[in-house]
Amino acid sequence: MHRKIDTAHIAPAYGDTSFARYTEDILFGDLWRREELSLRERSLITVAALVAGGHMEQLPYHLQLARENGLSKEELTEAVTHLAFYAGWPRAASAMDRIRNQQ
């Protein structure tokens, strides 16, 4: 089983709610730890889904997690460039802004 993803940001964001518990226990506690995909692959899929869906508010956290999971800034930039033709130029441009602003 993969390492547990740090979920310290969840409680302050969502409080003591069922949503927070599901996020910690099921999403990050179970789904992200399954062995069938590497953490790197899961991060790339998640970033692609967020960009394609236009969910830019969730992107900074997942870009940082992707870096922690072994994806380089160059690989993320290339993935978003590729997505521009499938998910739309404005969504890709917004994602590029977030990548550029990552530390």
Side-chain angles (χ1 to χ4, degrees):
M1 188 164 269
H2 294 299
R3 70 174 167 78
K4 187 161 181 351
I5 302 295
D6 180 15
T7 58
H9 70 285
I10 294 171
Y14 304 120
D16 186 23
T17 63
S18 295
F19 184 80
R21 284 189 297 281
Y22 294 147
T23 302
E24 278 191 57
D25 298 342
I26 298 170
L27 177 61
F28 289 113
D30 180 33
L31 185 66
W32 271 84
R33 297 184 74 197
R34 295 169 53 103
E35 294 289 334
E36 290 78 7
L37 294 172
S38 70
L39 291 174
R40 186 178 192 283
E41 292 165 330
R42 287 185 191 281
S43 282
L44 187 58
I45 292 165
T46 301
V47 167
L50 292 172
V51 172
H55 303 293
M56 297 302 142
E57 63 282 349
Q58 297 292 317
L59 199 53
Y61 170 77
H62 282 284
L63 288 171
Q64 181 59 42
L65 186 58
R67 300 290 304 278
E68 291 169 15
N69 288 335
L71 286 159
S72 69
K73 196 171 192 175
E74 292 76 20
E75 289 171 314
L76 291 166
T77 299
E78 183 62 25
V80 171
T81 300
H82 185 79
L83 283 167
F85 292 91
Y86 293 93
W89 208 265
R91 287 179 177 172
S94 294
M96 288 295 197
D97 288 341
R98 269 91 178 164
I99 292 171
R100 189 179 66 246
N101 292 324
Q102 285 284 301
Q103 300 282 336

